[in-house]
Amino acid sequence: MLGTAWSSRISVPGVGHAAAAARGLGAWLLAVAAATAVLWSVRDTAHEAHMALAYLLIVLGGSARHGRVVGLVLAVVSFLSFNFFLLPPYYTLAIEDPLDWWVLLAFLITGAVAAELFHRTQKARATAERRTREVERLSALGAESLSVPRAVDAVAAIARVIGAELPVASVEIWVRSEDDGDRSVLLA
């Protein structure tokens, strides 16, 4: 039956997403720690902008893979790691060079904007996929109704497709008589 194959593709949004995001966040936080260790070893020779770009790649990867919340958390953790471990005076959250504030601020804003843009893109993709499924269902509805010789059979085919695609117990189609205006159930 047509609806059986489609029903296996229907998923409930958000189910399992929080657990996957938490596991993903843990992995990306380890990536921030690894990047911090590598950058710490070259902090005296590397430029602040280059170190910020390394962190930004991690923020972008986490945002693309796990969404806006993970991206924002990674941006804040990277921001704090960058400041605490890599900018003088080391091991404080104080900033010695005023230009470093601009680097940190630009990094944080870029990370937040990137996380938001990835979120919007994922949301638009989900909407497009939902609309594609709707078009497929309408196509099946049209194909079923056009493949029968009589109008009554077309209505029955439409009822079958509706029953297969929607989570309903039954489908009833009421027909009004042209002669006396009475209604009768065509299908149940």
Side-chain angles (χ1 to χ4, degrees):
M1 182 172 196
L2 228 56
T4 315
W6 289 348
S7 63
S8 65
R9 293 189 306 190
I10 296 173
S11 62
V12 179
V15 172
H17 179 69
R23 284 191 305 274
L25 178 60
W28 287 103
L29 288 174
L30 287 175
V32 170
T36 301
V38 169
L39 292 171
W40 182 83
S41 68
V42 295
R43 70 181 177 186
D44 295 327
T45 57
H47 192 271
E48 291 85 3
H50 298 133
M51 292 187 283
L53 287 174
Y55 282 122
L56 189 57
L57 290 174
I58 295 170
V59 172
L60 293 175
S63 296
R65 183 72 176 118
H66 297 289
R68 174 175 42 188
V69 173
V70 170
L72 292 174
V73 169
L74 288 172
V76 170
V77 170
S78 296
F79 173 88
L80 293 173
S81 297
F82 187 26
N83 186 1
F84 190 80
F85 293 107
L86 304 175
L87 294 177
Y90 302 119
Y91 312 115
T92 70
L93 293 178
I95 302 287
E96 185 177 279
D97 185 359
L99 289 177
D100 288 342
W101 276 110
W102 289 109
V103 171
L104 284 171
L105 186 62
F107 167 77
L108 193 59
I109 290 171
T110 303
V113 168
E116 180 63 26
L117 290 175
F118 275 122
H119 172 73
R120 289 182 185 187
T121 301
Q122 290 169 342
K123 192 174 172 183
R125 188 189 90 224
T127 300
E129 288 173 351
R130 188 182 74 247
R131 288 183 180 162
T132 299
R133 286 189 301 272
E134 290 171 2
V135 167
E136 288 172 349
R137 289 180 184 139
L138 289 172
S139 173
L141 187 64
E144 288 288 323
S145 64
L146 292 174
S147 67
V148 294
R150 299 180 319 149
V152 170
D153 296 333
V155 172
I158 291 170
R160 281 193 305 274
V161 172
I162 290 171
E165 292 301 320
L166 298 177
V168 295
S170 67
V171 176
E172 294 180 354
I173 297 179
W174 291 77
V175 178
R176 181 180 294 190
S177 171
E178 291 182 17
D179 300 332
D180 56 7
D182 287 341
R183 293 182 185 186
S184 61
V185 176
L186 182 62
L187 300 167

